[in-house]
Amino acid sequence: MDSAKVFFKSVKSYSQTEEISRGARQLLEKVVAEENIKLSKRIPLKVHFGEKGNTTFIGPENFEGIIDYLDERKIDSCFIETNVLYVSPRTTGKSHMALAKEHGFTRLPAVIADGETGEDYAEVEIDANHFGKCRIGRLIAEEKQLIVLSHFKGHMLAGFGGAIKQLGMGCAARGGKLDQHANAQPAINPEDCKKCMTCVSHCPRKAIEVSNIPKIDRKKCIGCAACIAACPQEVFYVDWASTSPVSFRQKLAEYALAAQKGKSNIYINYALNITKDCDCDGRAQKPIARDIGIFASTDPVAVDAACCDALNKKEGKQVFGGFDIFDYAEEIGLGTTEYELSEI
Ligand code: SF4
Ligand code: SF4
């Protein structure tokens, strides 16, 4: 695979909102011009609305310049996201959109791509090592082009989280997230059950039976994770400990491949407010590294690799692990780690 172009704008501090907004727009213009990109009539912005209580996610004020650029060209857009696996305001569509509003994502419509409880997905064929098909949020799968806006930061399993994670995890429907994270089916804490039967009515495969205790028929269960979202007692959960980090990263890369398939995306990474844990963590975290700036490319692997290299160079040490994902992402054709960096 040929090397990819990555464009970079230095920003001294996350507090420089206008500079960030303007810089992101300049990078978008640069990528479009240099890569000769044909813009679609509709281009959703794939974002992360930030978990409730998280204070270091990339706020919508930093996307103003990009939205202005689309507005001036009369390109239809929205903020697009998918529901999460764990129990939080981001578990279901309505409360997820309410949180988006609370966090200031109001200039464009907020769209949850995988439905109210994460049940709405399209299967995208990739025929890779872990997955033949991936469950991508339907409204994302149906788009032809996305601008993927990612916060570059850490994650307990991925090691880092930029464009690849925003694609792989961020575009997967809830069942697809479960596929990546664990043994594809929820674990159960049966002693917390109050026998309300909500899970039974939400399970699309009639795989749950609640007599004395709730049980899942493992042959019927498709791992859609709807029960995790539906149960008010948090009886169903993801068994994170059963997840192998290397296998997780490979699965993440395969899902990213599916989410990208057939699309001419643009990736913009904000290497600012760099925290050890991800924006799904509902705590106020402190940045663990100095702010660097914004990176843009049409290649999700190259843009993440450029962020990692810049971070390690700036800090004088390897800050995050998990770099085996790059080799795997290259192997399956998601992108390349060979890049040419141009500062604007
Ligand atoms: S038990 Fe039912 S609701 Fe829960 S993951 Fe399996 S199929 Fe989905
Ligand atoms: S939704 Fe939860 S509490 Fe209600 S019956 Fe199912 S497992 Fe029990």
Side-chain angles (χ1 to χ4, degrees), residues 223-284:
C224 71
C227 51
I228 296 176
C231 175
Q233 293 300 117
E234 300 181 27
V235 165
F236 304 96
Y237 65 99
V238 179
D239 183 4
W240 304 101
S242 74
T243 307
S244 145
V246 173
S247 159
F248 169 79
R249 290 190 283 271
Q250 291 182 354
K251 290 175 178 177
L252 183 70
E254 290 189 12
Y255 255 79
L257 186 69
Q260 180 179 247
K261 189 175 176 184
K263 294 181 175 43
S264 55
N265 291 345
I266 297 166
Y267 300 95
I268 300 180
N269 278 9
Y270 294 73
L272 300 160
N273 258 0
I274 302 166
T275 49
K276 184 167 92 29
D277 293 311
C278 77
D279 299 342
C280 296
D281 192 324
R283 292 173 300 141

Side-chain angles (χ1 to χ4, degrees), residues 330-342:
E330 272 189 329
E331 188 185 316
I332 62 172
L334 178 62
T336 176
T337 53
E338 297 294 319
Y339 62 89
E340 292 163 35
L341 191 68
S342 308

